Amino acid sequence: AHQALLVAKNIDTFPTNQDRLAEGTIDVWWIVHDGGLLMLLPFLLRQHKVWRRCKMRIFTVAQLDDNSIQMKKDLQMFLYHLRLDAKVEVVEM
C-alpha cells in the first residue's frame, strides 16, 4: 500500500525518561523507499537522552535479480546526504 509502518519490539521493557541506555540498536527495515520519512523517526529518537548511545542499522530488501551491491552503495550515499550515521544491510530474498 506504499505506507510506512512503525513496529515497537519488546514494548514491555520500553525505557522511561529516567532510563539511560548504555548500548542498543535501532533497526529500520526500509521496504518502501519513501524519500526518507522513515529515516526521520530513528534520527529524532536518537536526539533524546535515553536513546543517544544507540546505534542505527538500516535493512533493505533486494530481489535476486537486483544488484544488491549497488543498492547498498546507493543507500549509503543517501544516508550520507541525510547526515545519518547508520550501518546498511541488504537482505536478499
Side-chain angles (χ1 to χ4, degrees):
H2 300 292
Q3 296 180 354
L5 175 68
L6 175 67
V7 179
K9 183 176 148 185
N10 295 332
I11 197 72
D12 298 338
T13 60
F14 203 77
T16 64
N17 283 338
Q18 290 76 28
D19 296 335
R20 300 279 195 287
L21 297 176
E23 60 182 26
T25 306
I26 301 171
D27 291 336
V28 177
W29 285 85
W30 201 39
I31 309 296
V32 177
H33 299 235
D34 59 354
L37 181 62
L38 192 58
M39 304 296 180
L40 181 63
L41 293 172
F43 170 77
L44 292 174
L45 196 61
R46 287 192 62 217
Q47 300 305 305
H48 194 273
K49 60 187 174 186
V50 174
W51 304 94
R52 192 160 288 143
R53 293 188 181 126
C54 291
K55 304 286 185 201
M56 199 164 92
R57 292 187 300 185
I58 308 296
F59 293 92
T60 189
V61 177
Q63 301 297 324
L64 290 177
D65 57 342
D66 291 337
N67 186 352
S68 60
I69 296 170
Q70 187 63 40
M71 281 181 72
K72 184 173 184 174
K73 286 180 183 178
D74 290 343
L75 187 52
Q76 287 172 333
M77 185 59 68
F78 181 66
L79 292 174
Y80 173 77
H81 288 297
L82 291 176
R83 298 181 185 149
L84 292 177
D85 181 29
K87 184 178 178 185
V88 175
E89 297 288 336
V90 178
V91 179
E92 291 185 356
M93 298 286 282

